[in-house]
Structure formats: C-alpha cells, structure tokens
Amino acid sequence: MSWSRKRRGGAESEGGGERRGYHHGNLREALIQAALELIASKGPAGFTFAEAARSAGVSPAAPYRHFRDRDALMADVATQGFERFESFLRHAWADGRPDSFTALCNLGRAYLAFARTEPAYYAAMFEAGVPLDDHPALREAGDRAFALVRDASAALCETLPKDRRPPALMMALHVWALAHGIASLFARGDAGRRRLPMDPEDLLEAGVLIYLQGLGIDTGGKGS
Amino acid sequence: MSWSRKRRGGAESEGGGERRGYHHGNLREALIQAALELIASKGPAGFTFAEAARSAGVSPAAPYRHFRDRDALMADVATQGFERFESFLRHAWADGRPDSFTALCNLGRAYLAFARTEPAYYAAMFEAGVPLDDHPALREAGDRAFALVRDASAALCETLPKDRRPPALMMALHVWALAHGIASLFARGDAGRRRLPMDPEDLLEAGVLIYLQGLGIDTGGKGS
DNA sequence: TGTACATCAGTGAACGCGCGTTCACTGATGTAC
DNA sequence: TGTACATCAGTGAACGCGCGTTCACTGATGTAC
C-alpha cells in the first residue's frame, strides 16, 4: 500500500518520489493516503488538513481544490475504506465455497485481518464519527459491505429447513457485531489494545461456531 | 447528572450555582464533569483543556493544579467511567438472581443502557485511545468490570456438567464483545449511529440466547 | 502545425483564533504557639 | 483567643504555535480555430 506522486512526462509507472512542478498529478489520492498515514500514527483525531497537505508536499491551500474541508476528506477515506473492506470480504467469502460454514469462517478471519492491517481505514470507517446523514456515499458503501454479510448469513440459513430458519438479517447483525466487538477490543492494529490469552481469530471462530450450533446449523462436526 | 460548584461558607449542600471567590472547592470533579459534557457534545476529540477550564468557570491555568495534562484528565474520566460501569453492571447482575440466565440478560441490558445514557463515559473508556500502559489505575478499573462479566459467565457455566463446561473466560469474552459490538454500532447515545429494525437490547438478548443454546445451557425454555 | 485563450490546479502570504503552557503573583485556609 | 506564617489553589497576562481559511496570483494543460 505504498503510494507515490505521479510524475508527469517520462516517469509513467510512478515508481519514484519527488514532485515535478506545478501540477501534482494526483493530489486527491495523495491526500487520502497522507490522511491514512496520519490516522494510523495518531488516531482519527490527530489528523489535520494542514498536515495532510504538508506531507503530500503541497501548500496548505491546495487541498481546498479537492475537498470542501477536513470532514469531507475524512468521509472520503471512510468511503474508500468500506469499498476495500467489501471487496476484501467478498474475496474471502468466495461465493460460499467450499461450503457456506467454512466460507463464513473465512469471512470472519478476513474481517479481523482488515481491522488489523488497515487500522487507519478501520478507524475512519467506525470511529471517526463522520455523520452518515451528511455523506450518503459513505452510508451506501457501508450498506454494501453489510449486505455481503447478510447474503452470507442467508446462505447459511438456507441450509436449515424453512420452519427452523432464523432471519438472515438478525444473524448478520450478530455476526457483524461480534466481529466488530472483537476487532475493536482486541484486534486493532493500533497501540494500546488489551491483550488476550488467545488469538482474536480463534475467539471469533469459536464464537461463531457456538452461535451456529445454537441455531441448529450443521457446522460439519467441528463443534463439541 | 447536573453538577455545581461548591459554595463556601453557608451553602453547604451545594445546591446552587455561581462561584464564590478565590477557591473553587471542588475543581477536580468540576473539570471531570465539564469534560464529560464536552465529550458528549463533540466527541472525545473535541474536548480541550482550555474549554473545560472555561466551562468550570476558572482560569486556563487552574486545571494544572489537578491534572498533569489533557490526557491525564481523560484517563481519569475513563477510570471513573469504568468504576461506575462496574457498579452499574454489578447491580444488574444482582448476584445471579433470580437465576443466572435471567441475570445475564439483565447484565446485557445494563451494558447497553450504560452506553446509551452515558455516551461520554463510554467514549472515554473505549474510544479515546488512552494508552492503558501509562495509566495502571485505568487498566485495573477496566479489569474489574470485565471480572464481573467473567464471574457471571462462570456462574452460567456451572449449570453444566463438568465434562461439557466451556471455559468461562472465553464465554465472557464472547458476551463482552457482542455487547460492545452492538453498543458501538447501534446503541450509542451519540448522533450518527446506524438505525436498526429492532431494539439493540432485543438483538443482544437474542444473540446471547442463541449462543447459550449452542453451549447447551438451559435457558429456561425461552429459545426454540 | 501554430497560436490565442479558457480553464484548471497549484502558490505563498496573510489573517484571526484558540490552544497549551509558563510565570510571578495573591487570596484563602489552616495550624503552631 | 489571637497572631504569624506556611501552604494551597487559584489569577491573569503573556508566549509561541499550528490550524483553518481567504485571497489575488500564476504556471500548466488542453482545445478551438
């Protein structure tokens, strides 16, 4: 996830470093990346418009060409975070292969992996306090990510006969909340989280397993 | 949760309002309360030492008599939050009466109620990013609150025969994480959280119920 | 192919502001005698 | 009971700093003709 400023003229594949001249080339993306680095090192609070500009190598007025203000930038970071989150989770779910239970476990692991390896995105998405009402694109990106978990839950529910089938929405909310709870209490990439006598991943998997057994879903004999 | 500055001289029971003179009387507590109000209205980030002083009616230098810096004040708020949290949860648990399953449900409801009615404390405890390593009193207060949930879990585990008894620690972590996940996603007193087609309280209770059934714990016929 | 021009994406200087922190100070309190 | 004094908890003025934001500006880009 390294980034670099686009050079104009020759340096097409944007390998290297220093700025080129008047025009940046890809300032919008550079500011988002700078914001991510600042959030990662100082938390969502310790990130300022001015510092993002500075670390993108640009004057403090430049960001205003791309974002109305600090909050707009933060909202964009969060939105992009949800988009990556969703595609990451989607890949882990793999359309329910090899079977929906295993795939759900993979989804859970991916959830925690994202929180751990992308703490800045995760913080922007869940802890920056961006008001959803002011940023419909953010809300929609979040909804799309949640929809994936709901679809996964529905796939598992369908392994049960109709009369014992729980609402997929409820199951999705439970899984999401458990994953989010474990992620934010124990598995954040940040400093200062509590230590645990076990892997957060194992904790989540065990929790999901017990939960599914409570629903009467066949977990392939992994339980008991 | 209204507070007032202590008057000297006559106004013993500190009913009323305005300051008295040179000495505040209870500035330390007043600053904590001011911090809580600021956190509640602007989030843990939007709280400054200076503003806390101002809203306690005191010069900007005064807080330094009581707190080393802003972080120290925040840590005190969080510590006090955990203490209240624990006593609130303890009251709800009621020593496992009338039975340990019902008492656990009450504990869960109390968890969410605290997050909803005391969003400022909750934010200071879980989202302010106070480093636990620098504040042992904070860590211990948090540990005591968690210990209560662990004891409650142990009580439920003991309703099972020894050979089918899950580790109480694991169960406590699952319950805590689920409650925290639901609280921070859906039940915070703050603005901007996602809406839900059901009560967070009911969502949590259903989740715990299914989880306990997965463990084979008798839930008094509430399930199925 | 060359030129004029509109548009875009930056500059850099400037501003007002509030914060954190310090300093020497002083009013209030409590206690030794 | 009174007085001197140490200590405590506040004042208020001052500072340097970085932030957000604005402004007129200018270099670069691309396009009509």
Side-chain angles (χ1 to χ4, degrees), chain A residues 8 20 22-23 48-50 54 60-61 64 70:
Chain A
R8 219 248 321 300
R20 201 237 9 176
Y22 211 86
H23 283 185
T48 65
F49 224 30
R54 207 178 311 132
Y64 291 88
R70 198 200 101 111

Side-chain angles (χ1 to χ4, degrees), chain B residues 44-119:
Chain B
F47 137 66
T48 66
F49 225 32
E51 199 170 358
R54 206 176 312 130
S55 88
V58 116
S59 92
Y64 291 88
R65 296 282 165 202
H66 298 275
F67 301 97
R68 198 169 39 75
D69 55 18
R70 198 202 102 111
D71 283 359
L73 172 49
M74 185 67 95
D76 257 52
V77 171
T79 305
Q80 188 175 103
F82 271 118
E83 286 162 359
R84 296 191 176 206
F85 190 48
E86 190 224 335
S87 93
F88 192 67
L89 295 184
R90 185 177 298 283
H91 184 258
W93 168 247
D95 268 325
R97 281 183 298 262
D99 62 90
S100 50
F101 169 68
T102 306
L104 187 74
C105 288
N106 291 337
L107 182 64
R109 285 181 185 276
Y111 193 112
L112 298 184
F114 188 90
R116 175 177 287 125
T117 62
E118 303 284 1

Side-chain angles (χ1 to χ4, degrees), chain B residues 8 11 27 52 71 85 98 100 142 148 160 179 191 194 204:
Chain B
R8 218 247 318 303
L27 182 54
D71 283 359
F85 190 48
S100 50
L148 178 73
L160 286 177
R194 288 187 152 71
L204 177 57

Side-chain angles (χ1 to χ4, degrees), chain A:
Chain A
M1 190 143 301
S2 97
W3 61 281
S4 56
R5 306 178 190 107
K6 246 186 210 150
R7 303 189 123 235
R8 219 248 321 300
E12 328 63 15
S13 73
E14 56 189 67
E18 72 256 37
R19 265 282 286 316
R20 201 237 9 176
Y22 211 86
H23 283 185
H24 184 285
N26 200 9
L27 182 55
R28 184 187 180 83
E29 195 55 31
L31 287 170
I32 290 181
Q33 292 300 334
L36 281 171
E37 283 163 29
L38 292 171
I39 293 168
S41 67
K42 309 202 261 173
F47 137 67
T48 65
F49 224 30
E51 199 170 359
R54 207 178 311 132
S55 88
V58 112
S59 91
Y64 291 88
R65 296 280 166 203
H66 298 275
F67 300 98
R68 198 167 40 76
D69 56 17
R70 198 200 101 111
D71 282 0
L73 172 49
M74 184 68 94
D76 256 52
V77 171
T79 304
Q80 189 175 102
F82 271 118
E83 285 162 359
R84 297 193 177 205
F85 190 48
E86 190 223 334
S87 93
F88 192 66
L89 295 185
R90 184 177 297 283
H91 184 258
W93 166 249
D95 267 327
R97 280 182 298 262
D99 62 90
S100 51
F101 169 68
T102 307
L104 186 74
C105 288
N106 291 338
L107 182 63
R109 287 183 184 276
Y111 193 112
L112 297 185
F114 188 89
R116 175 178 287 123
T117 62
E118 304 284 3
Y121 274 127
Y122 202 82
M125 289 152 62
F126 292 111
E127 287 155 40
V130 186
L132 294 178
D133 291 336
D134 303 355
H135 301 276
L138 172 56
R139 160 166 271 138
E140 284 157 25
D143 287 350
R144 277 192 299 274
F146 177 71
L148 178 72
V149 179
R150 187 173 25 70
D151 292 348
S153 300
L156 259 98
C157 287
E158 276 165 21
T159 65
L160 285 178
K162 268 207 179 117
D163 58 324
R164 292 171 43 224
R165 204 174 281 174
L169 173 63
M170 180 195 74
M171 177 177 159
L173 291 169
H174 284 147
V175 170
W176 183 290
L178 184 62
H180 177 71
I182 290 175
S184 52
L185 290 174
F186 311 114
R188 284 252 305 278
D190 290 323
R193 290 295 104 186
R194 288 188 152 71
R195 295 298 168 74
L196 217 59
M198 64 193 85
D199 248 20
E201 277 78 3
D202 294 342
L203 182 66
L204 176 58
E205 184 165 324
V208 169
L209 182 69
I210 294 165
Y211 176 85
L212 294 179
Q213 286 179 330
L215 288 175
I217 289 177
D218 176 30
T219 54
K222 278 210 185 181
S224 82

